[in-house]
């Protein structure tokens, strides 16, 4: 299965597509949209029982910039982002692509990858 990479150039996040790279938006904006430079996922008592999760307090905190620079995506994710107009902004003035991207990422993180 093809995976699509990310690239950060001059503080701007780009996403690979089948044809080229598209600009998602400035990393500063994306961090603001997800709530900060770090993101914390909370696990309940039952979820903490899995062997791969090593946390005493049920929280897993990670650096947003590092995580987004290293993650790759499947075709469905890319196809959800690609048609969004790269020139359009949301009601708060953020690039619409960055806003939708941030919403999708927080949904993925909050669902612990189970969308």
């Amino acid at each position: 299965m093809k995976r699509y990479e990310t690239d950060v150039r001059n503080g701007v996040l780009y996403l690979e597509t089948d044809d080229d790279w598209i600009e998602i938006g400035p990393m500063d904006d994306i961090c603001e949209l997800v709530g900060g430079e770090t993101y914390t996922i909370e696990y309940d008592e039952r979820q903490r029982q899995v062997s791969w999760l090593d946390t005493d307090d049920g929280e897993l905190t990670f650096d947003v910039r590092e995580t987004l620079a290293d993650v790759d995506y499947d075709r469905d994710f890319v196809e959800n982002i690609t048609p969004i107009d790269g020139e359009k902004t949301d009601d708060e003035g953020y690039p619409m692509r960055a806003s939708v991207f941030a919403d999708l990422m927080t949904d993925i993180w909050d669902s612990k990858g189970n969308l």
Side-chain angles (χ1 to χ4, degrees):
M1 175 194 318
K2 168 85 171 135
R3 301 293 295 180
Y4 298 85
E5 301 292 325
T6 55
D7 190 21
V8 179
R9 302 178 214 149
N10 298 317
V12 177
L13 182 69
Y14 291 85
L15 180 62
E16 180 184 22
T17 69
D18 284 329
D19 301 322
D20 203 1
W21 291 82
I22 59 169
E23 182 176 324
I24 301 301
M27 288 294 285
D28 288 345
D29 288 353
I30 294 168
C31 286
E32 286 180 31
L33 287 162
V34 301
E37 295 286 327
T38 61
Y39 198 85
T40 301
I41 301 172
E42 295 182 19
Y43 293 88
D44 64 26
E45 198 64 40
R46 182 186 58 78
Q47 293 168 327
R48 285 186 233 173
Q49 302 308 313
V50 296
S51 60
W52 58 265
L53 184 60
D54 185 20
T55 176
D56 293 328
D57 60 0
E59 293 184 347
L60 178 67
T61 300
F62 55 89
D63 184 280
V64 171
R65 290 176 191 268
E66 287 178 14
T67 300
L68 294 180
D70 289 340
V71 76
D72 56 33
Y73 302 90
D74 65 15
R75 181 177 303 280
D76 289 341
F77 186 93
V78 173
E79 288 176 351
N80 280 313
I81 297 291
T82 302
I84 298 168
D85 184 349
E87 301 298 317
K88 189 174 178 184
T89 58
D90 67 11
D91 294 339
E92 296 175 8
Y94 292 106
M96 185 59 76
R97 242 187 226 150
S99 184
V100 171
F101 178 88
D103 285 346
L104 286 171
M105 291 310 300
T106 56
D107 285 348
I108 291 167
W109 292 336
D110 290 343
S111 70
K112 292 127 184 118
N114 296 317
L115 281 181

PDB file of all heavy atoms in Angstrom, residues 42-70:
ATOM      1  N   GLU A  42      -5.138  10.804  26.394  1.00  0.00           N
ATOM      2  CA  GLU A  42      -5.445  10.174  27.675  1.00  0.00           C
ATOM      3  C   GLU A  42      -6.031   8.779  27.447  1.00  0.00           C
ATOM      4  O   GLU A  42      -6.890   8.592  26.597  1.00  0.00           O
ATOM      5  CB  GLU A  42      -6.422  11.034  28.462  1.00  0.00           C
ATOM      6  CG  GLU A  42      -5.825  12.370  28.847  1.00  0.00           C
ATOM      7  CD  GLU A  42      -6.764  13.224  29.672  1.00  0.00           C
ATOM      8  OE1 GLU A  42      -7.719  12.683  30.260  1.00  0.00           O
ATOM      9  OE2 GLU A  42      -6.526  14.436  29.730  1.00  0.00           O
ATOM     10  N   TYR A  43      -5.544   7.838  28.226  1.00  0.00           N
ATOM     11  CA  TYR A  43      -6.005   6.452  28.163  1.00  0.00           C
ATOM     12  C   TYR A  43      -6.701   6.095  29.460  1.00  0.00           C
ATOM     13  O   TYR A  43      -6.201   6.423  30.540  1.00  0.00           O
ATOM     14  CB  TYR A  43      -4.815   5.509  27.942  1.00  0.00           C
ATOM     15  CG  TYR A  43      -4.166   5.687  26.583  1.00  0.00           C
ATOM     16  CD1 TYR A  43      -3.153   6.612  26.394  1.00  0.00           C
ATOM     17  CD2 TYR A  43      -4.587   4.929  25.502  1.00  0.00           C
ATOM     18  CE1 TYR A  43      -2.574   6.788  25.150  1.00  0.00           C
ATOM     19  CE2 TYR A  43      -4.010   5.092  24.259  1.00  0.00           C
ATOM     20  CZ  TYR A  43      -3.005   6.023  24.086  1.00  0.00           C
ATOM     21  OH  TYR A  43      -2.435   6.194  22.846  1.00  0.00           O
ATOM     22  N   ASP A  44      -7.835   5.405  29.352  1.00  0.00           N
ATOM     23  CA  ASP A  44      -8.538   4.983  30.561  1.00  0.00           C
ATOM     24  C   ASP A  44      -7.869   3.723  31.131  1.00  0.00           C
ATOM     25  O   ASP A  44      -6.920   3.186  30.558  1.00  0.00           O
ATOM     26  CB  ASP A  44     -10.029   4.762  30.297  1.00  0.00           C
ATOM     27  CG  ASP A  44     -10.328   3.641  29.314  1.00  0.00           C
ATOM     28  OD1 ASP A  44      -9.519   2.708  29.163  1.00  0.00           O
ATOM     29  OD2 ASP A  44     -11.402   3.705  28.684  1.00  0.00           O
ATOM     30  N   GLU A  45      -8.374   3.284  32.260  1.00  0.00           N
ATOM     31  CA  GLU A  45      -7.766   2.144  32.964  1.00  0.00           C
ATOM     32  C   GLU A  45      -7.683   0.892  32.089  1.00  0.00           C
ATOM     33  O   GLU A  45      -6.673   0.198  32.063  1.00  0.00           O
ATOM     34  CB  GLU A  45      -8.582   1.853  34.231  1.00  0.00           C
ATOM     35  CG  GLU A  45      -7.837   1.017  35.244  1.00  0.00           C
ATOM     36  CD  GLU A  45      -6.604   1.710  35.799  1.00  0.00           C
ATOM     37  OE1 GLU A  45      -6.642   2.925  36.066  1.00  0.00           O
ATOM     38  OE2 GLU A  45      -5.578   1.023  35.952  1.00  0.00           O
ATOM     39  N   ARG A  46      -8.732   0.604  31.363  1.00  0.00           N
ATOM     40  CA  ARG A  46      -8.755  -0.580  30.490  1.00  0.00           C
ATOM     41  C   ARG A  46      -7.741  -0.440  29.353  1.00  0.00           C
ATOM     42  O   ARG A  46      -7.006  -1.368  29.051  1.00  0.00           O
ATOM     43  CB  ARG A  46     -10.159  -0.789  29.918  1.00  0.00           C
ATOM     44  CG  ARG A  46     -10.286  -2.020  29.041  1.00  0.00           C
ATOM     45  CD  ARG A  46     -11.650  -2.133  28.372  1.00  0.00           C
ATOM     46  NE  ARG A  46     -12.014  -1.006  27.540  1.00  0.00           N
ATOM     47  CZ  ARG A  46     -11.548  -0.797  26.294  1.00  0.00           C
ATOM     48  NH1 ARG A  46     -10.718  -1.640  25.750  1.00  0.00           N
ATOM     49  NH2 ARG A  46     -11.937   0.253  25.606  1.00  0.00           N
ATOM     50  N   GLN A  47      -7.678   0.730  28.742  1.00  0.00           N
ATOM     51  CA  GLN A  47      -6.758   0.955  27.633  1.00  0.00           C
ATOM     52  C   GLN A  47      -5.295   0.874  28.078  1.00  0.00           C
ATOM     53  O   GLN A  47      -4.430   0.523  27.293  1.00  0.00           O
ATOM     54  CB  GLN A  47      -7.029   2.315  26.992  1.00  0.00           C
ATOM     55  CG  GLN A  47      -8.362   2.382  26.291  1.00  0.00           C
ATOM     56  CD  GLN A  47      -8.744   3.801  25.910  1.00  0.00           C
ATOM     57  OE1 GLN A  47      -8.421   4.758  26.614  1.00  0.00           O
ATOM     58  NE2 GLN A  47      -9.448   3.940  24.796  1.00  0.00           N
ATOM     59  N   ARG A  48      -5.024   1.179  29.332  1.00  0.00           N
ATOM     60  CA  ARG A  48      -3.649   1.144  29.848  1.00  0.00           C
ATOM     61  C   ARG A  48      -3.113  -0.271  29.993  1.00  0.00           C
ATOM     62  O   ARG A  48      -1.924  -0.458  30.210  1.00  0.00           O
ATOM     63  CB  ARG A  48      -3.580   1.823  31.211  1.00  0.00           C
ATOM     64  CG  ARG A  48      -3.648   3.300  31.121  1.00  0.00           C
ATOM     65  CD  ARG A  48      -3.424   3.890  32.488  1.00  0.00           C
ATOM     66  NE  ARG A  48      -4.541   4.789  32.758  1.00  0.00           N
ATOM     67  CZ  ARG A  48      -4.768   5.374  33.891  1.00  0.00           C
ATOM     68  NH1 ARG A  48      -3.994   5.150  34.919  1.00  0.00           N
ATOM     69  NH2 ARG A  48      -5.785   6.184  34.039  1.00  0.00           N
ATOM     70  N   GLN A  49      -3.961  -1.266  29.844  1.00  0.00           N
ATOM     71  CA  GLN A  49      -3.553  -2.655  30.022  1.00  0.00           C
ATOM     72  C   GLN A  49      -2.796  -3.221  28.822  1.00  0.00           C
ATOM     73  O   GLN A  49      -2.195  -4.291  28.928  1.00  0.00           O
ATOM     74  CB  GLN A  49      -4.774  -3.527  30.321  1.00  0.00           C
ATOM     75  CG  GLN A  49      -5.549  -3.085  31.545  1.00  0.00           C
ATOM     76  CD  GLN A  49      -4.692  -2.925  32.792  1.00  0.00           C
ATOM     77  OE1 GLN A  49      -3.890  -3.793  33.110  1.00  0.00           O
ATOM     78  NE2 GLN A  49      -4.833  -1.806  33.478  1.00  0.00           N
ATOM     79  N   VAL A  50      -2.818  -2.526  27.681  1.00  0.00           N
ATOM     80  CA  VAL A  50      -2.106  -3.044  26.511  1.00  0.00           C
ATOM     81  C   VAL A  50      -0.604  -2.995  26.761  1.00  0.00           C
ATOM     82  O   VAL A  50      -0.085  -2.069  27.389  1.00  0.00           O
ATOM     83  CB  VAL A  50      -2.477  -2.287  25.215  1.00  0.00           C
ATOM     84  CG1 VAL A  50      -3.937  -2.488  24.875  1.00  0.00           C
ATOM     85  CG2 VAL A  50      -2.134  -0.821  25.319  1.00  0.00           C
ATOM     86  N   SER A  51       0.091  -3.977  26.255  1.00  0.00           N
ATOM     87  CA  SER A  51       1.520  -4.126  26.570  1.00  0.00           C
ATOM     88  C   SER A  51       2.400  -3.022  25.989  1.00  0.00           C
ATOM     89  O   SER A  51       3.432  -2.687  26.560  1.00  0.00           O
ATOM     90  CB  SER A  51       2.009  -5.486  26.080  1.00  0.00           C
ATOM     91  OG  SER A  51       1.835  -5.587  24.687  1.00  0.00           O
ATOM     92  N   TRP A  52       2.006  -2.429  24.881  1.00  0.00           N
ATOM     93  CA  TRP A  52       2.874  -1.439  24.238  1.00  0.00           C
ATOM     94  C   TRP A  52       2.779  -0.061  24.884  1.00  0.00           C
ATOM     95  O   TRP A  52       3.630   0.799  24.658  1.00  0.00           O
ATOM     96  CB  TRP A  52       2.562  -1.326  22.750  1.00  0.00           C
ATOM     97  CG  TRP A  52       1.133  -0.962  22.450  1.00  0.00           C
ATOM     98  CD1 TRP A  52       0.118  -1.825  22.176  1.00  0.00           C
ATOM     99  CD2 TRP A  52       0.570   0.342  22.424  1.00  0.00           C
ATOM    100  NE1 TRP A  52      -1.049  -1.127  21.971  1.00  0.00           N
ATOM    101  CE2 TRP A  52      -0.810   0.214  22.116  1.00  0.00           C
ATOM    102  CE3 TRP A  52       1.073   1.619  22.629  1.00  0.00           C
ATOM    103  CZ2 TRP A  52      -1.668   1.300  22.008  1.00  0.00           C
ATOM    104  CZ3 TRP A  52       0.216   2.707  22.520  1.00  0.00           C
ATOM    105  CH2 TRP A  52      -1.135   2.538  22.208  1.00  0.00           C
ATOM    106  N   LEU A  53       1.762   0.189  25.697  1.00  0.00           N
ATOM    107  CA  LEU A  53       1.572   1.502  26.296  1.00  0.00           C
ATOM    108  C   LEU A  53       2.254   1.545  27.657  1.00  0.00           C
ATOM    109  O   LEU A  53       1.851   0.854  28.588  1.00  0.00           O
ATOM    110  CB  LEU A  53       0.077   1.807  26.435  1.00  0.00           C
ATOM    111  CG  LEU A  53      -0.272   3.192  26.970  1.00  0.00           C
ATOM    112  CD1 LEU A  53       0.275   4.278  26.046  1.00  0.00           C
ATOM    113  CD2 LEU A  53      -1.775   3.322  27.128  1.00  0.00           C
ATOM    114  N   ASP A  54       3.273   2.357  27.766  1.00  0.00           N
ATOM    115  CA  ASP A  54       4.035   2.457  29.003  1.00  0.00           C
ATOM    116  C   ASP A  54       3.805   3.837  29.618  1.00  0.00           C
ATOM    117  O   ASP A  54       4.554   4.778  29.367  1.00  0.00           O
ATOM    118  CB  ASP A  54       5.522   2.227  28.726  1.00  0.00           C
ATOM    119  CG  ASP A  54       6.348   2.190  29.982  1.00  0.00           C
ATOM    120  OD1 ASP A  54       5.775   1.971  31.069  1.00  0.00           O
ATOM    121  OD2 ASP A  54       7.570   2.383  29.884  1.00  0.00           O
ATOM    122  N   THR A  55       2.747   3.952  30.392  1.00  0.00           N
ATOM    123  CA  THR A  55       2.436   5.212  31.051  1.00  0.00           C
ATOM    124  C   THR A  55       1.829   4.919  32.417  1.00  0.00           C
ATOM    125  O   THR A  55       0.963   4.064  32.551  1.00  0.00           O
ATOM    126  CB  THR A  55       1.478   6.071  30.201  1.00  0.00           C
ATOM    127  OG1 THR A  55       1.149   7.238  30.938  1.00  0.00           O
ATOM    128  CG2 THR A  55       0.221   5.344  29.804  1.00  0.00           C
ATOM    129  N   ASP A  56       2.312   5.609  33.430  1.00  0.00           N
ATOM    130  CA  ASP A  56       1.797   5.406  34.784  1.00  0.00           C
ATOM    131  C   ASP A  56       0.502   6.171  35.033  1.00  0.00           C
ATOM    132  O   ASP A  56      -0.369   5.719  35.752  1.00  0.00           O
ATOM    133  CB  ASP A  56       2.838   5.832  35.820  1.00  0.00           C
ATOM    134  CG  ASP A  56       4.063   4.930  35.803  1.00  0.00           C
ATOM    135  OD1 ASP A  56       3.911   3.731  35.509  1.00  0.00           O
ATOM    136  OD2 ASP A  56       5.165   5.440  36.071  1.00  0.00           O
ATOM    137  N   ASP A  57       0.403   7.340  34.414  1.00  0.00           N
ATOM    138  CA  ASP A  57      -0.750   8.200  34.680  1.00  0.00           C
ATOM    139  C   ASP A  57      -1.816   8.151  33.592  1.00  0.00           C
ATOM    140  O   ASP A  57      -2.802   8.883  33.654  1.00  0.00           O
ATOM    141  CB  ASP A  57      -0.287   9.641  34.891  1.00  0.00           C
ATOM    142  CG  ASP A  57       0.433  10.202  33.674  1.00  0.00           C
ATOM    143  OD1 ASP A  57       0.589   9.488  32.657  1.00  0.00           O
ATOM    144  OD2 ASP A  57       0.847  11.372  33.737  1.00  0.00           O
ATOM    145  N   GLY A  58      -1.617   7.305  32.577  1.00  0.00           N
ATOM    146  CA  GLY A  58      -2.604   7.184  31.514  1.00  0.00           C
ATOM    147  C   GLY A  58      -2.539   8.279  30.478  1.00  0.00           C
ATOM    148  O   GLY A  58      -3.447   8.424  29.669  1.00  0.00           O
ATOM    149  N   GLU A  59      -1.466   9.051  30.482  1.00  0.00           N
ATOM    150  CA  GLU A  59      -1.315  10.120  29.513  1.00  0.00           C
ATOM    151  C   GLU A  59      -0.062   9.901  28.676  1.00  0.00           C
ATOM    152  O   GLU A  59       0.974   9.505  29.195  1.00  0.00           O
ATOM    153  CB  GLU A  59      -1.222  11.478  30.206  1.00  0.00           C
ATOM    154  CG  GLU A  59      -2.497  11.888  30.888  1.00  0.00           C
ATOM    155  CD  GLU A  59      -2.423  13.276  31.490  1.00  0.00           C
ATOM    156  OE1 GLU A  59      -1.307  13.841  31.593  1.00  0.00           O
ATOM    157  OE2 GLU A  59      -3.476  13.803  31.858  1.00  0.00           O
ATOM    158  N   LEU A  60      -0.203  10.176  27.396  1.00  0.00           N
ATOM    159  CA  LEU A  60       0.916  10.100  26.462  1.00  0.00           C
ATOM    160  C   LEU A  60       1.023  11.459  25.789  1.00  0.00           C
ATOM    161  O   LEU A  60       0.095  11.896  25.096  1.00  0.00           O
ATOM    162  CB  LEU A  60       0.671   9.007  25.420  1.00  0.00           C
ATOM    163  CG  LEU A  60       1.732   8.853  24.348  1.00  0.00           C
ATOM    164  CD1 LEU A  60       3.041   8.357  24.966  1.00  0.00           C
ATOM    165  CD2 LEU A  60       1.258   7.880  23.283  1.00  0.00           C
ATOM    166  N   THR A  61       2.122  12.162  26.043  1.00  0.00           N
ATOM    167  CA  THR A  61       2.325  13.499  25.492  1.00  0.00           C
ATOM    168  C   THR A  61       3.443  13.442  24.460  1.00  0.00           C
ATOM    169  O   THR A  61       4.474  12.813  24.687  1.00  0.00           O
ATOM    170  CB  THR A  61       2.678  14.499  26.606  1.00  0.00           C
ATOM    171  OG1 THR A  61       1.601  14.526  27.554  1.00  0.00           O
ATOM    172  CG2 THR A  61       2.897  15.896  26.054  1.00  0.00           C
ATOM    173  N   PHE A  62       3.215  14.099  23.335  1.00  0.00           N
ATOM    174  CA  PHE A  62       4.228  14.109  22.271  1.00  0.00           C
ATOM    175  C   PHE A  62       4.348  15.495  21.656  1.00  0.00           C
ATOM    176  O   PHE A  62       3.458  16.336  21.790  1.00  0.00           O
ATOM    177  CB  PHE A  62       3.904  13.062  21.197  1.00  0.00           C
ATOM    178  CG  PHE A  62       2.524  13.190  20.599  1.00  0.00           C
ATOM    179  CD1 PHE A  62       2.311  13.993  19.487  1.00  0.00           C
ATOM    180  CD2 PHE A  62       1.455  12.513  21.144  1.00  0.00           C
ATOM    181  CE1 PHE A  62       1.045  14.113  18.936  1.00  0.00           C
ATOM    182  CE2 PHE A  62       0.185  12.616  20.598  1.00  0.00           C
ATOM    183  CZ  PHE A  62      -0.015  13.423  19.488  1.00  0.00           C
ATOM    184  N   ASP A  63       5.467  15.716  20.979  1.00  0.00           N
ATOM    185  CA  ASP A  63       5.752  16.965  20.293  1.00  0.00           C
ATOM    186  C   ASP A  63       5.024  16.974  18.950  1.00  0.00           C
ATOM    187  O   ASP A  63       5.228  16.082  18.125  1.00  0.00           O
ATOM    188  CB  ASP A  63       7.263  17.105  20.087  1.00  0.00           C
ATOM    189  CG  ASP A  63       7.632  18.421  19.458  1.00  0.00           C
ATOM    190  OD1 ASP A  63       7.493  18.539  18.222  1.00  0.00           O
ATOM    191  OD2 ASP A  63       8.051  19.327  20.189  1.00  0.00           O
ATOM    192  N   VAL A  64       4.183  17.955  18.737  1.00  0.00           N
ATOM    193  CA  VAL A  64       3.365  18.031  17.526  1.00  0.00           C
ATOM    194  C   VAL A  64       4.239  18.193  16.284  1.00  0.00           C
ATOM    195  O   VAL A  64       4.064  17.485  15.286  1.00  0.00           O
ATOM    196  CB  VAL A  64       2.339  19.182  17.625  1.00  0.00           C
ATOM    197  CG1 VAL A  64       1.639  19.419  16.288  1.00  0.00           C
ATOM    198  CG2 VAL A  64       1.327  18.896  18.724  1.00  0.00           C
ATOM    199  N   ARG A  65       5.201  19.103  16.319  1.00  0.00           N
ATOM    200  CA  ARG A  65       6.040  19.350  15.138  1.00  0.00           C
ATOM    201  C   ARG A  65       6.816  18.086  14.736  1.00  0.00           C
ATOM    202  O   ARG A  65       6.855  17.735  13.559  1.00  0.00           O
ATOM    203  CB  ARG A  65       7.018  20.490  15.406  1.00  0.00           C
ATOM    204  CG  ARG A  65       6.354  21.837  15.502  1.00  0.00           C
ATOM    205  CD  ARG A  65       7.356  22.925  15.874  1.00  0.00           C
ATOM    206  NE  ARG A  65       6.693  24.151  16.217  1.00  0.00           N
ATOM    207  CZ  ARG A  65       6.417  25.122  15.359  1.00  0.00           C
ATOM    208  NH1 ARG A  65       6.763  25.011  14.102  1.00  0.00           N
ATOM    209  NH2 ARG A  65       5.797  26.216  15.761  1.00  0.00           N
ATOM    210  N   GLU A  66       7.445  17.445  15.707  1.00  0.00           N
ATOM    211  CA  GLU A  66       8.212  16.230  15.403  1.00  0.00           C
ATOM    212  C   GLU A  66       7.318  15.127  14.854  1.00  0.00           C
ATOM    213  O   GLU A  66       7.673  14.447  13.897  1.00  0.00           O
ATOM    214  CB  GLU A  66       8.922  15.725  16.659  1.00  0.00           C
ATOM    215  CG  GLU A  66      10.096  16.544  17.083  1.00  0.00           C
ATOM    216  CD  GLU A  66      10.732  16.015  18.364  1.00  0.00           C
ATOM    217  OE1 GLU A  66      10.418  14.871  18.777  1.00  0.00           O
ATOM    218  OE2 GLU A  66      11.541  16.746  18.950  1.00  0.00           O
ATOM    219  N   THR A  67       6.166  14.951  15.468  1.00  0.00           N
ATOM    220  CA  THR A  67       5.255  13.898  15.042  1.00  0.00           C
ATOM    221  C   THR A  67       4.771  14.138  13.620  1.00  0.00           C
ATOM    222  O   THR A  67       4.804  13.228  12.779  1.00  0.00           O
ATOM    223  CB  THR A  67       4.053  13.800  16.004  1.00  0.00           C
ATOM    224  OG1 THR A  67       4.562  13.493  17.311  1.00  0.00           O
ATOM    225  CG2 THR A  67       3.076  12.740  15.570  1.00  0.00           C
ATOM    226  N   LEU A  68       4.328  15.354  13.320  1.00  0.00           N
ATOM    227  CA  LEU A  68       3.817  15.635  11.982  1.00  0.00           C
ATOM    228  C   LEU A  68       4.912  15.559  10.916  1.00  0.00           C
ATOM    229  O   LEU A  68       4.638  15.180   9.776  1.00  0.00           O
ATOM    230  CB  LEU A  68       3.132  16.997  11.942  1.00  0.00           C
ATOM    231  CG  LEU A  68       1.859  17.102  12.773  1.00  0.00           C
ATOM    232  CD1 LEU A  68       1.270  18.498  12.654  1.00  0.00           C
ATOM    233  CD2 LEU A  68       0.843  16.045  12.361  1.00  0.00           C
ATOM    234  N   ALA A  69       6.136  15.888  11.271  1.00  0.00           N
ATOM    235  CA  ALA A  69       7.240  15.808  10.312  1.00  0.00           C
ATOM    236  C   ALA A  69       7.593  14.359   9.979  1.00  0.00           C
ATOM    237  O   ALA A  69       8.107  14.077   8.896  1.00  0.00           O
ATOM    238  CB  ALA A  69       8.463  16.540  10.851  1.00  0.00           C
ATOM    239  N   ASP A  70       7.281  13.431  10.890  1.00  0.00           N
ATOM    240  CA  ASP A  70       7.679  12.031  10.708  1.00  0.00           C
ATOM    241  C   ASP A  70       6.570  11.105  10.238  1.00  0.00           C
ATOM    242  O   ASP A  70       6.838   9.981   9.846  1.00  0.00           O
ATOM    243  CB  ASP A  70       8.238  11.475  12.022  1.00  0.00           C
ATOM    244  CG  ASP A  70       9.581  12.071  12.363  1.00  0.00           C
ATOM    245  OD1 ASP A  70      10.261  12.596  11.469  1.00  0.00           O
ATOM    246  OD2 ASP A  70       9.951  12.014  13.556  1.00  0.00           O
TER     247      ASP A  70
END
